[in-house]
Amino acid sequence: MTVRVAISEVRTLLDGVADNSNVDLYIEQANLLVNEELAGTGLTDARLRLIELNLAAHFGVVAIERGGFTYQQSMSSQEGYATDRSQVKLSSTRFGQQALVLDSSGKLATLDSPRGTAEFRVM
């Protein structure tokens, strides 16, 4: 399928994020998700393009930051990232959140929600 976004557009969104050299891989992942989940749902090409752009940036942030950004502290300069991979969902990054908002079909939201899994710990 045709890729809807350019490498330069994704790099612009990832500006300020360390090493964004694998942008073509992030675009490939976003394109696959949009084509398989959202094509044919009635969303316009313009909307699909914006979703693909934000998904590419989402995949980039997850790969570069090793998880979604969770907190920042000004004094003593601390940052925190999601290290539990099961917690890294579309809603875990600002770009994934944008994609979810742009998807009026709700398909991405179903991918983002829990699927009935549970974790039990015995002490």
Side-chain angles (χ1 to χ4, degrees):
M1 287 265 170
T2 304
V3 174
R4 296 169 184 84
V5 298
I7 289 175
S8 61
E9 292 176 294
V10 178
R11 280 209 169 111
T12 297
L13 287 183
L14 293 176
D15 186 39
V17 178
D19 182 24
N20 58 22
S21 59
N22 294 321
V23 173
D24 53 336
L25 177 61
Y26 312 142
I27 292 172
E28 183 181 339
Q29 293 169 338
N31 181 259
L32 179 70
L33 188 59
V34 168
N35 289 337
E36 291 186 356
E37 299 295 332
L38 301 176
T41 60
L43 298 175
T44 65
D45 289 336
R47 189 174 289 244
L48 291 174
R49 191 185 86 68
L50 288 174
I51 292 170
E52 188 169 308
L53 176 61
N54 279 282
L55 285 175
H58 164 78
F59 290 127
V61 166
V62 169
I64 293 165
E65 295 178 350
R66 306 288 189 255
F69 185 72
T70 58
Y71 75 90
Q72 180 177 19
Q73 184 177 351
S74 179
M75 302 304 272
S76 301
S77 186
Q78 295 182 349
E79 291 184 344
Y81 300 92
T83 55
D84 181 357
R85 289 303 213 185
S86 68
Q87 298 302 315
V88 178
K89 300 179 173 147
L90 291 175
S91 58
S92 67
T93 70
R94 60 198 175 279
F95 301 114
Q97 292 168 8
Q98 287 285 87
L100 287 168
V101 168
L102 289 166
D103 174 24
S104 58
S105 75
K107 298 270 284 184
L108 292 179
T110 60
L111 296 174
D112 194 53
S113 65
R115 300 204 173 188
T117 59
E119 179 178 320
F120 296 94
R121 294 183 184 179
V122 178
M123 303 289 229

